């Protein structure tokens, strides 16, 4: 049995095609074979160089190419040189197009771009968790966006919501008894958004929070006087920074997030494509 060369040609990584090759070859009792993977084949000259190499061997070509010109070129060359070849994408793409009545993008590396978006989202979520509630002020300089506000102004839910849009968010609680971190005043004010709420809404939310914790609703945390002091303290800091202030009272997370995204666009802050 002559040595078999399986050529895997892809406009992306070619990992899927290589795995198909390995799964197929495992069905045979043979050791005289080699899988040669060629990734990111994005120009015709490179493709032809690979095909000429395959011509000189006992080869099979397995490919995942979305560029129709490249596919036609490969099929023509293989037909002229009697090289068996398998297209792993075109039939399925055509079936999907037929069933959905939509045209494929035929964009090389599309799945890799989707993977990159996924990992950016995961990175942003991990960032939001790591720098939630002022855990580490050093993260402020790395953030795409910094949210500041007193307790119960939706800082954490908004951080997580925006993280799912690939935005790295850090948030800092503003408490009269605790000095705001110096790093906050070193951040570009255009990257900072202040959050506030109405005293009535905060009283209601905090009272329910105390009940959930089994604590007395008369605690200072929920008192109007305390809430007014916190709001005054926080808004004073926000004015010093010069950042926009959003009142989240009676706003859904999605609505507040939409306002924040508009502010970021207006301020020229990069927003990652979802």
């Amino acid at each position: 049995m002559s040595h078999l060369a399986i050529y895997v040609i892809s406009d992306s990584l070619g990992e899927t095609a290589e795995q198909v090759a390995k799964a197929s070859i495992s069905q045979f009792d043979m050791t005289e074979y080699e899988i040669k993977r060629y990734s990111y084949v994005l120009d015709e000259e490179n493709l032809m160089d690979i095909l000429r190499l395959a011509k000189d061997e006992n080869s099979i070509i397995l490919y995942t190419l979305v560029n129709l010109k490249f596919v036609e070129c490969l099929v023509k060359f293989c037909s002229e040189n009697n090289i068996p070849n398998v297209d792993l994408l075109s039939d399925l793409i055509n079936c999907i197009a037929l069933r959905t009545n939509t045209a494929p993008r035929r964009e090389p590396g599309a799945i890799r771009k989707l993977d990159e978006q996924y990992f950016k989202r995961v990175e942003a979520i991990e960032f939001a968790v790591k720098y939630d509630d002022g855990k580490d002020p050093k993260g402020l300089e790395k953030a795409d966006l910094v949210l500041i506000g007193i307790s119960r102004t939706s800082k954490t839910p908004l951080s997580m919501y925006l993280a799912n849009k690939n935005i790295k968010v850090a948030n800092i609680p503003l408490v009269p008894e605790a000095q705001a971190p110096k790093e906050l005043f070193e951040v570009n004010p255009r990257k900072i958004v202040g959050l506030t709420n109405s005293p009535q809404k905060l009283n209601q939310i905090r009272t329910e929070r105390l009940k959930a914790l089994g604590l007395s609703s008369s605690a200072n945390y929920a008192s109007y006087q305390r809430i007014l002091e916190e709001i005054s303290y926080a808004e004073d800091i926000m004015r010093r920074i010069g950042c926009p202030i959003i009142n989240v009272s009676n706003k859904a997370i999605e609505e507040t997030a939409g306002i924040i995204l508009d502010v970021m666009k207006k301020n020229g802050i990069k927003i990652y494509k979802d």
Side-chain angles (χ1 to χ4, degrees):
M1 184 184 297
S2 59
H3 179 90
L4 176 66
I6 301 177
Y7 279 67
V8 172
I9 304 174
S10 176
D11 52 30
S12 189
L13 279 172
E15 288 179 324
T16 300
E18 184 176 14
Q19 289 303 315
V20 170
K22 288 179 178 177
S24 300
I25 205 73
S26 70
Q27 298 299 313
F28 298 86
D29 295 324
M30 58 184 298
T31 56
E32 294 298 315
Y33 73 90
E34 182 181 5
I35 297 175
K36 300 181 178 183
R37 188 173 85 184
Y38 296 87
S39 304
Y40 303 115
V41 178
L42 300 173
D43 66 77
E44 193 170 340
E45 184 178 350
N46 186 16
L47 175 62
M48 291 307 299
D49 287 342
I50 298 166
L51 294 177
R52 292 186 192 101
L53 291 174
K55 177 186 174 182
D56 295 332
E57 296 192 79
N58 179 37
S59 65
I60 294 171
I61 296 177
L62 195 62
Y63 61 98
T64 53
L65 297 169
V66 297
N67 186 313
L68 288 176
K69 183 180 178 183
F70 286 7
V71 172
E72 291 170 2
C73 180
L74 185 150
V75 170
K76 182 174 182 292
F77 185 93
C78 289
S79 176
E80 292 173 350
N81 293 280
N82 197 30
I83 304 173
N85 59 92
V86 180
D87 184 345
L88 289 179
L89 283 183
S90 293
D91 285 348
L92 183 54
I93 287 175
N94 291 336
C95 285
I96 293 171
L98 180 65
R99 281 298 186 185
T100 61
N101 196 31
T102 56
R105 288 180 297 175
R106 290 287 176 178
E107 180 183 345
I111 191 168
R112 176 172 52 84
K113 292 178 182 178
L114 287 174
D115 286 343
E116 286 174 358
Q117 283 188 354
Y118 169 77
F119 287 116
K120 280 183 180 177
R121 183 173 291 112
V122 170
E123 185 181 357
I125 291 170
E126 290 176 344
F127 187 94
V129 171
K130 183 175 181 178
Y131 298 111
D132 180 45
D133 206 32
K135 288 175 184 173
D136 184 359
K138 292 178 182 177
L140 298 182
E141 62 177 290
K142 306 173 189 174
D144 299 316
L145 172 71
V146 177
L147 300 178
I148 59 175
I150 64 175
S151 174
R152 304 294 127 184
T153 50
S154 303
K155 296 185 300 299
T156 297
L158 280 166
S159 295
M160 297 307 299
Y161 183 90
L162 292 166
N164 274 281
K165 294 187 176 296
N166 303 343
I167 298 171
K168 293 181 180 178
V169 188
N171 72 75
I172 298 291
L174 300 178
V175 185
E177 291 78 16
Q179 188 174 2
K182 63 179 179 59
E183 290 88 351
L184 178 61
F185 301 96
E186 296 168 358
V187 175
N188 184 343
R190 295 159 69 89
K191 292 171 56 176
I192 303 174
V193 171
L195 303 173
T196 190
N197 207 333
S198 70
Q200 297 80 8
K201 191 70 175 178
L202 283 169
N203 172 258
Q204 178 186 345
I205 294 171
R206 291 186 177 191
T207 298
E208 292 301 319
R209 177 64 174 163
L210 289 171
K211 287 180 181 177
L213 294 173
L215 302 172
S216 171
S217 59
S218 63
N220 189 44
Y221 175 71
S223 73
Y224 269 101
Q225 183 59 39
R226 171 65 183 183
I227 289 171
L228 290 172
E229 289 175 4
E230 289 188 28
I231 291 174
S232 176
Y233 169 78
E235 291 185 353
D236 179 60
I237 289 179
M238 293 171 194
R239 282 191 291 269
R240 282 168 54 197
I241 291 172
C243 66
I245 303 173
I246 300 173
N247 191 321
V248 301
S249 178
N250 299 318
K251 287 186 178 68
I253 293 296
E254 295 83 356
E255 184 180 358
T256 305
I259 296 171
I260 291 172
L261 291 173
D262 288 341
V263 169
M264 292 180 73
K265 288 178 184 176
K266 183 179 177 182
N267 288 343
I269 304 300
K270 183 177 181 180
I271 297 177
Y272 302 99
K273 190 175 180 180
D274 191 15

